[in-house]
C-alpha cells in the first residue's frame, strides 16, 4: 500500500510530477495492500495458462493449411479431448498446488525486498533485471532438469511431463506436483538476487510462462520475434528433447542454448540437424555412396 493519500503528496515526496504510468499505478494500487498486489500473480497465471495456448489449439484442431506446414511433428495429432484433459490437469495443479503456494509465499517476497511504491522502475532497469532473472533461471533450471533425467528423477517425477512426446501449449506447465515445487526455486532465485518492483516481478512471471508455452507449442514459426534473441532455444529445440523422450540426454535448457553447448548436451540435436541439412541439400536418389535410396514421386 502506498504511503501517500493523494497524488500531490506523492509528487511532493518524489520532488517532481508523477509520470503518466506512475499516475495510473497510484490510482490502482494506493488503496491495495502489498499482499493483494502480489496475489495478482494468480490472475495472470490463470489467464496465461488458459488463453495463450488457445490459438495453438485451434491450429491443431482445424488444421489451417497455411500454418499446418510449420508443425514440427506433423504426423502426431492430438484430439481435442486429449488437449482438454491436459488443460483440466493443469488447472487442477494450478488450484491445488501453484495457487496455495503463491498465497503462502508472500513472506519471502517481503524478505527479499520486492517493492510496490514509487517511483516506478525505468524501462532499462526492468529490462536489465528481467535479463538477470532469465539467465539465473535458465542456468539453475538446466541442472535441475538434467538431474531429473537420471533414472530415479525421471521415473519418480519427470516422466509425467514427458507424457507428451509431441508437446502442445497446454502441456508447458503439465508436470508432477513435486516438479512444480522444485522448478519454483529457479524462478525465485533471480528476483531474490536482484529484487525489483512488483511490476517487474509480474512481468517476469508472465514472460517466463509465455516463453514456456511457446517452446512447447509444437510449431516452429519463422516470424517468431524470439528467433532474433541470441542463443534462444525455441520450439524446435525443445521439441527434440520431448521427441527423444525419457532416454534424452540432450537439450536440457529451458530458454537459452549456451549451457547445452558448453556442457556438450546438445550433440544429439546438432548431429540430427547436420544429417537433415545434408539430406535436404543432396539430390533425391542414391546418397552417401549409394547406401540410402530415396524414391522420387
Amino acid at each position: 500500500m502506498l504511503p501517500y493519500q493523494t497524488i500531490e503528496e506523492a509528487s511532493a515526496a518524489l520532488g517532481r510530477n508523477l509520470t503518466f504510468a506512475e499516475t495510473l499505478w497510484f490510482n490502482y494500487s494506493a488503496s491495495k495492500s502489498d499482499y493483494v498486489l502480489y496475489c495478482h500473480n494468480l490472475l495472470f497465471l490463470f489467464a496465461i495458462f488458459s488463453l495463450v495456448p488457445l490459438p495453438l489449439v485451434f491450429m491443431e484442431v482445424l488444421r489451417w493449411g497455411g500454418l499446418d506446414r510449420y508443425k514440427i511433428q506433423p504426423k502426431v495429432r492430438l484430439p481435442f479431448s486429449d488437449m482438454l484433459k491436459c488443460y483440466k490437469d493443469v488447472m487442477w495443479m494450478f488450484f491445488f498446488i501453484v495457487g496455495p503456494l503463491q498465497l503462502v509465499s508472500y513472506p519471502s517476497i517481503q524478505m527479499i525486498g520486492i517493492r510496490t511504491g514509487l517511483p516506478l522502475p525505468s524501462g532499462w532497469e526492468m529490462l536489465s533485471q528481467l535479463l538477470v532473472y532469465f539467465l539465473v533461471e535458465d542456468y539453475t533450471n538446466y541442472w535441475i532438469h538434467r538431474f531429473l533425467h537420471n533414472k530415479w528423477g525421471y521415473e519418480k517425477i519427470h516422466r509425467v511431463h514427458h507424457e507428451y512426446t509431441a508437446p502442445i501449449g497446454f502441456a508447458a506447465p503439465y508436470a508432477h506436483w513435486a516438479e512444480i515445487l522444485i522448478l519454483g526455486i529457479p524462478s525465485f532465485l533471480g528476483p531474490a538476487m536482484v529484487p525489483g518492483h512488483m511490476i517487474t516481478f509480474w512481468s517476469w512471471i508472465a514472460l517466463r510462462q509465455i516463453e514456456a508455452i511457446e517452446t512447447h507449442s509444437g510449431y516452429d514459426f519463422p516470424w517468431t520475434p524470439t528467433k532474433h534473441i541470441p542463443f534462444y532455444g525455441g520450439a524446435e529445440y525443445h521439441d527434440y528433447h520431448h521427441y527423444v523422450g525419457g532416454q534424452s540426454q540432450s537439450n536440457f535448457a529451458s530458454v537459452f542454448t549456451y549451457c547445452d553447448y558448453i556442457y556438450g548436451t546438445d550433440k544429439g540435436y546438432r548431429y540430427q540437424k547436420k544429417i537433415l541439412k545434408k539430406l535436404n541439400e543432396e539430390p533425391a536418389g542414391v546418397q552417401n555412396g549409394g547406401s540410402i535410396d530415396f524414391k522420387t514421386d
Side-chain angles (χ1 to χ4, degrees), residues 273-289:
K273 294 281 287 184
K274 181 180 177 181
I275 294 299
L276 290 177
K277 181 180 179 181
K278 183 178 180 180
L279 292 177
N280 290 330
E281 290 176 350
E282 290 181 358
V286 179
Q287 302 187 29
N288 294 332

Side-chain angles (χ1 to χ4, degrees), residues 231-281:
F231 306 108
Y232 185 81
E236 183 188 24
Y237 189 84
H238 192 67
D239 202 279
Y240 175 83
H241 177 80
H242 277 261
Y243 176 76
V244 176
Q247 302 302 317
S248 177
Q249 293 298 320
S250 183
N251 296 23
F252 294 113
S254 61
V255 183
F256 303 108
T257 62
Y258 69 94
C259 279
D260 281 312
Y261 182 80
I262 292 173
Y263 301 114
T265 49
D266 64 348
K267 292 180 179 178
Y269 172 75
R270 286 192 284 125
Y271 177 76
Q272 185 204 51
K273 294 281 287 184
K274 181 180 177 181
I275 294 299
L276 290 177
K277 181 180 179 181
K278 183 178 180 180
L279 292 177
N280 290 330
E281 290 176 350

Side-chain angles (χ1 to χ4, degrees), residues 37-79:
L37 292 173
Y38 170 67
C39 288
H40 280 46
N41 275 322
L42 292 173
L43 299 176
F44 298 148
L45 289 173
F46 176 77
I48 290 169
F49 290 162
S50 300
L51 301 178
V52 174
L54 282 182
L56 301 168
V57 172
F58 294 144
M59 283 186 280
E60 190 77 6
V61 173
L62 300 178
R63 297 192 178 188
W64 291 331
L67 300 176
D68 200 52
R69 56 181 170 167
Y70 300 119
K71 186 170 172 60
I72 300 169
Q73 297 187 48
K75 294 182 179 180
V76 181
R77 291 288 178 180
L78 287 180

Side-chain angles (χ1 to χ4, degrees), residues 145 149 154 158-165 174 241-246 248:
H145 190 186
H149 269 266
Y154 187 85
H158 194 51
R159 64 173 178 79
V160 175
H161 183 65
H162 274 271
E163 289 176 9
Y164 291 89
T165 55
Y174 179 82
H241 177 80
H242 277 261
Y243 176 76
V244 176
S248 177

Side-chain angles (χ1 to χ4, degrees), residues 1-50:
M1 184 177 296
L2 297 181
Y4 316 113
Q5 298 299 317
T6 64
I7 290 180
E8 289 71 22
E9 285 186 29
S11 297
L14 295 179
R16 58 170 174 79
N17 291 329
L18 271 61
T19 65
F20 177 73
E22 288 172 336
T23 301
L24 290 177
W25 178 251
F26 179 91
N27 291 331
Y28 183 76
S29 67
S31 60
K32 295 179 175 64
S33 68
D34 289 355
Y35 179 70
V36 168
L37 292 173
Y38 170 67
C39 288
H40 280 46
N41 275 322
L42 292 173
L43 299 176
F44 298 148
L45 289 173
F46 176 77
I48 290 169
F49 290 162
S50 300

